[in-house]
Structure formats: C-alpha cells, structure tokens
Amino acid sequence: MEEIKVFCPATIANVSCGFDVLGLALDSIGDEMIVRKTDEKGIKITKILGQDLPLETEKNVSGVAGLAFLEHGDYQGGFEIEIDKRIKPGSGIGSSAASSAGAVCAMNELLGRPFSNLELTQFAMQGEKLASSVAHADNVAPAIYGGFTLVRSYEPLDIVSIPTPDELFATVIHPQIEIKTSDSRKILKTKLTLETGIRQWGNLGGLVAGLFQSDYDLIGRSLEDHVVEPIRSILIPGFDAIKQNAMEAGALGCGISGSGPSIFALSKGETTAQKVAESMRKTYGSIGIDFDIHVSKVNTQGVKPL
Ligand code: ADP
C-alpha cells in the first residue's frame, strides 16, 4: 500500500472526574487525512484544507509526530501528508491530537503495523508537546486506541483501554468563544484537600467500574468533578444553565471537554443525546452565543481507514 486515507477522531479529555488521565474518542466528529509514502526521507505537509495552520513540518503537530515515528524503526523513505481539518483548533475536543494520532496511525498502516498502540501514543505525544508544550496523552491515547482510555502513569507510560457500553452517546457543544489552554490551566489550584481527593477518586473508580459493567446509573452517579469544573466553568458563559438543562433532558452527566470551551454530555441512547442537544441549542440560543453542536456515538476503533 502506497497511500491511505484515514478518519482522525475528535476526543473528549478529562470526562469530569478523570482530569488529565481519562479520555474518549468520538465517531462523527473528526478530521480526514491522506498519508502517502515517498522515496524522499522526512515528512512533507502538502495540503491543509479547512483551517489556517502551518505547512512547515516542525510547526505542525502531524509533522512533529511523524518525525518521531521516522526516528524509530528501519524505514528508509518518508511521507507526504494532506489534512482536511474539520475540528477547529482550540475547541477543547482534541484538534491537535487528531492530527498527531492520525499521522502516526496512517504511517503505521502503510508500513504493515510495525509499532504497537503504546509506541504510536509516544510518537503522537511529541505533537501534543508542540501544541501545548506538555507531551500529554489524554487526547492522543483515545484517538489511537478508540473508546475510553486511562493514562495510569507517564513514567513509564501505561495506557489502559476501557470497554465502551453499546448505547453510550456524547453530545458536544462548542461555544464560539476563545479560551487559551494556558489560561485555563493557570487558574487551577495546585493543592487538593484530602476530602476533595477522596470524592474525586471515588468517582473515577465508579466511572471505570460503570463502563466495565455497562451500568449506566453508576456512570451517571460518577460523572462529577470536584476539582477542575468548579473553577474552569467560570470561563464558559452559560455553563451552569447548559448543564442543568442537559441533566433535565436526561443526560447521565455533563462537564467541560478538555480545557474547554466545549461542553460535553453523555447519555444512554441516541434519542436522549438528541434531546440533550436540543436543550443545549435552546440554552445558548436564549443567551445569544453562537455555537457548533454534535451528537456522536463513542468511537471504539480510534483512527480508522476511510
Ligand atoms: P485542542 O484543544 O482543540 O486540541 P489545542 O489548543 O490543543 O487545540 O491545539 C491547537 C494548537 O496546535 C494551535 O496553536 C495550532 O496552531 C497548533 N497546531 C499545529 N498543528 C496543528 C494541527 N495539525 N491541527 C491542529 N492544531 C495544530
């Protein structure tokens, strides 16, 4: 195979109680990417549609992740990349992670899968380092593995794949406001009380158990965040109203996607997820904020060929 076209999923990081460790992949929101083998060494980004992003290899996360890929293994050629960018950068649904993960997964397919998902995650993390100066894995891991993933540890990197209940749907609303990731990090507290920690890891354990057992009530009870949401939500206009109305419309839980400004809700079944979308539309409609909204099944495959 000389060329491959892939879907690169958007991802929701944190998922309420799993700040910096949990993430999930989406199915109907994502970029498309074409990757081609070249005789020439190195990575060349030949085309980017949809967004104004750098074509220079070292300034684009797909180029940086691709270079990390090429440093390993014995492939002597290079790759050309075309990106159809549908996820807006800075939306909080893993725009940069989709490009980093998409590049390394496509390259791996073209070479007959020499690398494991864990190794691909390590290469893609170099792209994340370019985007946000921290090589975090909470978006690239679900984009590569699919479904829900837990970053149990960074030293050494340990990614745990968590099964996805069949009827789990996400609703994601992206208000058209800008929040810099650096700002949304800066305002966080760096110390926790023991009491807050206990509530948070109780919920994280509950969420993971709920996903393993397809126990939707337990998933719903566990989708609480006592650490980040109370502080970050202040940056997102209408957050409390969106959440309250989403819960009244039947969502299992609702929180901030990544570092925001996108807000996600999880629901059992597509009908409920659409009702939640309707409630979110009405809420932002009445406040007068422009937005994009999506309903998606959880994507259990991660980056996939098109
Ligand atoms: P998100 O939270 O939606 O992933 P980030 O803020 O993490 O968005 O990443 C966006 C940053 O990464 C921007 O500064 C953008 O210019 C940079 N970037 C470089 N290459 C890409 C790419 N291929 N896709 C998206 N963002 C990229």
Side-chain angles (χ1 to χ4, degrees):
M1 205 178 2
E2 293 301 308
E3 177 181 303
I4 189 170
K5 187 174 185 184
V6 290
F7 171 77
C8 318
T11 43
I12 295 172
N14 300 342
V15 202
S16 294
C17 49
F19 179 61
D20 270 3
V21 296
L22 214 57
L24 70 90
L26 296 168
D27 212 24
S28 61
I29 319 165
D31 296 344
E32 289 181 10
M33 204 175 221
I34 295 171
V35 179
R36 209 170 285 121
K37 280 194 208 166
T38 56
D39 292 334
E40 204 182 320
K41 284 189 174 177
I43 309 283
K44 209 180 246 174
I45 299 159
T46 53
K47 201 195 267 181
I48 302 176
L49 299 174
Q51 295 289 329
D52 188 16
L53 288 166
L55 283 165
E56 295 99 309
T57 305
E58 288 81 8
K59 291 188 183 162
N60 194 297
V61 299
S62 62
V64 172
L67 289 173
F69 180 100
L70 281 182
E71 269 173 32
H72 299 78
D74 51 14
Y75 174 58
Q76 293 303 314
F79 296 101
E80 248 174 39
I81 298 175
E82 292 177 21
I83 307 171
D84 185 352
K85 193 87 217 160
R86 300 171 182 199
I87 315 168
K88 289 181 190 156
S91 51
I93 50 170
S95 177
S96 51
S99 288
S100 303
V104 297
C105 289
M107 290 169 189
N108 203 41
E109 280 302 315
L110 289 176
L111 300 188
R113 302 192 192 172
F115 295 112
S116 67
N117 280 345
L118 189 70
E119 288 168 313
L120 294 176
T121 303
Q122 280 163 324
F123 306 149
M125 283 164 66
Q126 294 309 311
E128 291 298 78
K129 194 170 174 187
L130 173 73
S132 64
S133 72
V134 184
H136 58 88
D138 49 349
N139 286 105
V140 287
I144 290 170
Y145 287 75
F148 283 78
T149 54
L150 173 81
V151 186
R152 193 204 56 83
S153 128
Y154 277 96
E155 296 283 342
L157 186 66
D158 188 1
I159 309 287
V160 184
S161 231
I162 300 167
T164 307
D166 287 343
E167 294 177 84
L168 207 57
F169 279 77
T171 310
V172 180
I173 188 158
H174 174 211
Q176 308 295 295
I177 55 163
E178 199 190 333
I179 300 178
K180 288 205 177 107
T181 307
S182 53
D183 288 344
S184 65
R185 275 231 165 229
K186 242 186 268 164
I187 60 167
L188 296 180
K189 289 185 191 151
T190 53
K191 290 199 168 71
L192 288 184
T193 63
L194 190 56
E195 189 195 349
T196 307
I198 291 166
R199 293 175 83 188
Q200 194 82 355
W201 55 67
N203 280 319
L204 182 56
L207 179 54
V208 171
L211 291 168
F212 266 91
Q213 296 166 0
S214 293
D215 182 338
Y216 293 92
D217 289 338
L218 178 57
I219 292 169
R221 292 200 299 282
S222 307
L223 283 168
E224 280 188 345
D225 176 6
H226 298 287
V227 175
V228 174
E229 185 179 298
I231 300 168
R232 266 196 186 159
S233 58
I234 297 162
L235 299 176
I236 306 173
F239 177 83
D240 292 341
I242 286 273
K243 180 167 177 165
Q244 191 185 333
N245 294 339
M247 298 307 290
E248 278 167 20
L252 298 167
C254 177
I256 303 167
S257 178
S259 54
S262 287
I263 302 169
F264 79 95
L266 292 182
S267 301
K268 183 180 179 190
E270 190 172 6
T271 310
T272 308
Q274 293 291 0
K275 278 188 198 152
V276 170
E278 200 40 51
S279 85
M280 289 180 170
R281 264 188 213 107
K282 271 195 198 143
T283 311
Y284 267 162
S286 65
I287 303 176
I289 295 176
D290 289 337
F291 59 84
D292 289 333
I293 193 157
H294 310 273
V295 171
S296 171
K297 206 170 190 328
V298 177
N299 162 0
T300 53
Q301 244 182 302
V303 176
K304 54 186 173 185
L306 285 170

